[in-house]
Amino acid sequence: MSKEQQQTYWRSLNELAQNEEYRKFAEREFPENATELTDGVSRRNFLQIMGASVALAGLASCRKPVQKIMPYTRQPEHLVPGKPLFYATAVPFKGNLTGIVVETHEGRPTKIEGNDLHPESKGRTNSRMQAAILDMYDQDRSRKIRQDGSDRSWDDFVSFCNDHFSDTDRSIAFISEASSSPSLLRLRGEALDKFPNARWVTFEPYNDESLLSGIHKAFGRRLRPLHHFGKSRITVSLNDDFMLDSDNDIVHIGDFAKSKAIPEDQNGKPSRLYVAESNYSLTGSNADHRLRIKSSEIPLFVFALAGKLADSLDDLEAFSGYGNEFSDHSWISVLAEELLAHQGNSILTAGSEHDPDVHATVAAINFALGNTGETIDYLEVPHLEEDDQNERFSELVGEMNAGNIDTVIMVGANPVFTAPSDLRFNDALEQVQNRLHLSLHYDETSRASDWHVNRAHFLETWGDGYSWSGARSVIQPLIQPLFDGKSEVEFLHAVVHGEDESGHSIVRKTWQEQFFTDAFESNWNRVLHDGLQQDTGFTPADVSLDANFSAEAAGFLAMPAEIPANAIELVLKPDPKLHDGRFANNGWLQELPDPMTKITWDNVALISPNTAERIGVPPERRFGDPEQQVISITDENGNQIEIAAWVLPGHADNSITVYTGYGREQIGRVADQVGVNTYSLRSSTYRLFIKDVDVSTVGRTYEIASTQDHHSLEGRPHVREASIDYYRENPTFAQDAVYTPGMKEGREHAVQLFSDKEFPDHEPQWGMTIDLNSCVGCGVCTIACQAENNIPVIGKREVRRGREMHWIRTDRYFNGDDTDNPKVVHQPVPCMHCDNAPCEQVCPVAATTHSDDGLNQMTYNRCIGTRYCSNNCPYKVRRFNFFNYSKEYLTSGDDPEIIQMAMNPDVTVRFRGVMEKCTYCVQRISRAKIDTKNETGDSIKPPDGTVVTACQQACPANAISFGDISDDQSKVSIEKRKDRNYMMLEELNVRARTTYLAKIRNPNDNQAVT
């Protein structure tokens, strides 16, 4: 085997060391104490979590009655019981809409998919979008309007608004979360016209204000960048996790995956990605080359790069002759050479929270390279504010403290929890006499307000807005508001006009006045059908460097760096799953393993092995021990947090990364007391990083639930990758990586003692491929599968015991012996649906069998729970129900029928003592077979592409192919004929139907970056 193939893959430092604890853990098939949940504390916690999330929550009311049901006297058109209907709408996030299609059963939304017609979706989704269904059925959502803690009605609130706001001279402050809604913007204009002393501030704890200000420095205008990663041959990311921490991540992942496709031309190569960052991000894990660097050093790094490029690019004369300690860094020369060689088809990008000087330099470099208008467009976005909203928010807090604000109206935001700590927003809010707040939960800001109005979920309301690139969409409700909540436009209309108006009327009025003055009804119906107005988008601006840019650059280049020697920096970032904390009460997202650490139900302080040794944290722990050392982090103002430390190989030295969004109180049974609130260390001065913090151990430990060591394959060559050059020379390297006994030339499989299975010709034969070259490891497939198949949430304690129930997991493997900067590869692992399934051979009651169309089936009511099948499964993809979830949570409580209404009716709800696993979404297969037979009269072979599994449909990278492998022209058959295709553990001759395409990297041979 070649040196390139002889690579070391490991999940944790303990596995790399192969210590005694690891060997004992790996030899145990099932975790200790895996048969019963005996301790009362964990059982109470388990019941709490399950009551909130597993059953998708109980509701107070629903669109369809659940008691005293009467039969239809006139059945609604198109409604066939048992057959789902699909409606187009859009999901809002930080002011941007992404088109979706929602599956409904008898009026109940049950599943979200992407909208093929929408440019920001293209039929794909991310984890937050998939989990939005659970947010709607969250029983901890606010159910009523309150005034000073007492219950009130909507009529009471409207009456108050009519009376209170009749005085138009009031000094009013509107604090709104980001929104692109034309209807909200219309109401905003009406509010500012009506109240001359009003001011409006947009508040998002994580926003693009620094990015917009930097672009303004470079081009003289606040413009939005639109990156086309699919056109870029060389991409350089500076602390920018554009695959996960981005408002346009679905498009970014899809474009990046396309750029990584292997060209048919033997001389062609995929794109190349360079990443310089402090934390090991998802984007960094997909890099061809990665540099560990502190976040506080990124400005010096990009200035040095600009100085190097200035020698060859006239438009960068402002940086000519500039130098700093990074000017002689080996990466600077290599990046400059690469970028100069790819002018017009490269991208340089930086994390949005970096200061405007960094973004101004990045914009200038991209312009000088000729990337503007090719790989990057700068869009004119009409609703963007003209000034920095971070500064406006700080000014407003000052006015509140001074007693200059009479009434503050907060629309959706939660500034009491998320505002910079130095502003002390809660204290400022107390100085305001009248405080109104609209929110989904009775949260921290609601408790500090006089009036709280419960907000409706976006699946329950009318709304509108624009996507990142400017596609205009309408949000239409799929169900009546479950708790009589109100949308932001209904709330604002009551405030401004003192009257009740439906969201439908408000949105229709906006579109009729602004967009469809002619033929309104036909155009309106088309938008509702398609989910967007076709051929809409923001206009790319024609940009050039501002005349004052050289002076601006001279100013920030002359500023001293002021990075203390050997100081430990603290980097604060939004959580990859919970973002700023708004999704903290979502059990699906809490239990989704972090893509890099595989931690669930907590946030930690991420540190490198070297930093761990420096502060007294053992880099390695006893294998299987969930206890982690707790450290204290204190900033220069004395603000302090105590949080568990987690050693992450590849993290920058002398740097600590913590995620925000945890540590909520009195929000809901899922979010409460989960993790640590780290916002106390985030200030208006230090939004991204603090250059110097004091760190020490506190002498205690904290329990962390991580799945990184679960389901080990014990060193077998499950992941296969190579460089593009090696692949060109050895195209069958993936298939040749292992010796398969009994394999004869010309045979597809090795010989066996048993007779080969024969399948009927009239049945399709299902199979799947997963392209590791496209997969980025985002984890959306896990949540999509959970939403589709009624998979329960089990809570932190059960995850720690190895009982997680996800049918498809995404394994993360480090590669190499260098623990300081290893490479990473991700591998989704569902059930393989083996033709020679080892599970079928050992089941004493034939609960797991093979179907005529090649599926490895589970007969739930036959399973007696011996778990022999899981013991004999080499892929460790079977999940066991240790508790009777269905009986405990679907037939008890105040609203059991409503809880059941939230489940996917096409999927069986499992019970205690039953094994479950991936079914290839057999319910979708059956539906397609029935439809095909109805259309053709005899055939039950659906056309290629008709059956799309939940994981396949959600994947933004289009990494999963599924179809009939008996059809030579099906996409999955074409994928399986590629020379990169290989079968994991083929040497066992289990003949898996799910195979993989090996990962191919495109490294630079220059030793300076290897």
Side-chain angles (χ1 to χ4, degrees), residues 137 397 662 992:
Y137 291 114
V397 173
Y662 291 83

Side-chain angles (χ1 to χ4, degrees), residues 22-62:
Y22 167 75
R23 287 191 291 271
K24 289 180 179 179
F25 185 92
E27 288 168 1
R28 281 202 312 269
E29 179 56 36
F30 295 103
E32 295 177 353
N33 304 318
T35 55
E36 290 292 339
L37 188 63
T38 55
D39 60 298
V41 175
S42 63
R43 188 174 191 275
R44 285 195 299 272
N45 178 67
F46 176 71
L47 294 176
Q48 192 178 53
I49 295 299
M50 295 290 289
S53 301
V54 175
L56 298 179
L59 312 176
S61 61
C62 194

Side-chain angles (χ1 to χ4, degrees), residues 554-623:
F556 61 69
L557 291 177
M559 296 176 61
E562 296 182 356
I563 300 178
N566 298 318
I568 297 179
E569 71 172 12
L570 176 69
V571 182
L572 298 112
K573 292 190 173 184
D575 186 76
K577 302 175 295 179
L578 311 185
H579 191 57
D580 57 4
R582 67 186 69 184
F583 305 114
N585 210 50
N586 191 303
W588 288 352
L589 294 176
Q590 287 276 13
E591 197 154 291
L592 176 67
D594 180 272
M596 295 304 299
T597 65
K598 297 303 172 184
I599 289 173
T600 66
W601 292 100
D602 264 306
N603 57 342
V604 294
L606 301 173
I607 56 178
S608 70
N610 292 332
T611 304
E613 291 185 2
R614 175 181 173 182
I615 64 179
V617 174
E620 295 183 15
R621 70 187 193 282
R622 191 167 66 88
F623 198 87

Side-chain angles (χ1 to χ4, degrees), residues 173-452:
F174 291 87
I175 301 176
S176 170
E177 64 187 13
S179 176
S180 62
S181 167
S183 297
L184 185 143
L185 294 173
R186 175 173 64 82
L187 290 170
R188 168 181 169 167
E190 294 172 1
L192 296 179
D193 289 340
K194 180 176 180 179
F195 305 111
N197 296 323
R199 66 275 285 152
W200 191 295
V201 176
T202 299
F203 173 74
E204 287 283 351
Y206 294 94
N207 52 55
D208 294 325
E209 293 303 314
S210 291
L211 171 64
L212 296 172
S213 297
I215 293 174
H216 182 270
K217 280 188 176 184
F219 302 133
R221 286 184 284 174
R222 287 167 65 86
L223 302 170
R224 173 180 289 175
L226 178 64
H227 298 95
H228 306 290
F229 289 103
K231 298 180 181 179
S232 175
R233 306 310 302 158
I234 297 294
T235 299
V236 180
S237 170
L238 305 179
N239 226 23
D240 183 14
D241 190 5
F242 60 80
M243 296 184 189
L244 196 61
D245 183 19
S246 167
D247 298 345
N248 202 25
D249 55 346
I250 298 174
V251 173
H252 290 170
I253 291 175
D255 287 351
F256 176 79
K258 289 179 181 178
S259 77
K260 284 303 221 179
I262 309 301
E264 295 182 4
D265 180 6
Q266 288 296 309
N267 296 321
K269 292 186 176 183
S271 66
R272 182 175 295 152
L273 173 62
Y274 293 90
V275 174
E277 61 183 3
S278 56
N279 182 31
Y280 213 142
S281 69
L282 185 69
T283 301
S285 70
N286 287 277
D288 296 289
H289 296 284
R290 180 178 175 274
L291 175 67
R292 298 186 307 148
I293 181 174
K294 295 169 68 173
S295 291
S296 55
E297 295 174 337
I298 290 292
L300 293 177
F301 187 88
V302 71
F303 297 159
L305 178 59
K308 185 69 174 178
L309 291 169
D311 296 338
S312 305
L313 298 173
D314 293 337
D315 289 316
L316 295 178
E317 65 268 9
F319 300 91
S320 181
Y322 174 81
N324 59 38
E325 54 263 43
F326 281 98
S327 297
D328 295 327
H329 195 285
S330 58
W331 267 58
I332 295 296
S333 298
V334 173
L335 293 181
E337 180 182 347
E338 287 273 62
L339 292 171
L340 289 171
H342 294 84
Q343 298 185 50
N345 59 357
S346 57
I347 290 177
L348 176 66
T349 179
S352 61
E353 290 292 321
H354 278 285
D355 62 52
D357 300 338
V358 170
H359 291 292
T361 305
V362 168
I365 291 175
N366 280 315
F367 177 80
L369 288 169
N371 295 333
T372 303
E374 299 293 337
T375 57
I376 305 174
D377 285 319
Y378 293 95
L379 305 178
E380 297 175 341
V381 182
H383 60 264
L384 285 182
E385 306 291 349
E386 292 297 325
D387 45 14
D388 190 314
Q389 293 300 291
N390 291 335
E391 296 178 0
R392 286 285 308 278
F393 182 76
S394 297
E395 294 169 358
L396 175 59
V397 173
E399 290 190 71
M400 293 165 62
N401 278 316
N404 296 331
I405 303 298
D406 170 78
T407 302
V408 62
I409 301 164
M410 295 166 285
V411 186
N414 186 14
V416 169
F417 179 66
T418 61
S421 59
D422 60 317
L423 297 181
R424 300 187 180 279
F425 182 84
N426 195 29
D427 294 341
L429 192 61
E430 291 179 354
Q431 308 305 314
V432 181
Q433 183 177 358
N434 302 285
R435 306 176 293 269
L436 287 66
H437 188 225
L438 174 75
S439 61
L440 278 173
H441 294 84
Y442 193 64
D443 58 25
E444 295 87 349
T445 303
S446 300
R447 293 194 293 273
S449 301
D450 302 316
W451 279 93
H452 160 74

Side-chain angles (χ1 to χ4, degrees), residues 77-96:
E77 188 179 4
H78 305 305
L79 180 59
V80 178
K83 188 172 183 178
L85 296 177
F86 298 85
Y87 297 91
T89 183
V91 52
F93 180 66
K94 293 174 64 177
N96 302 300

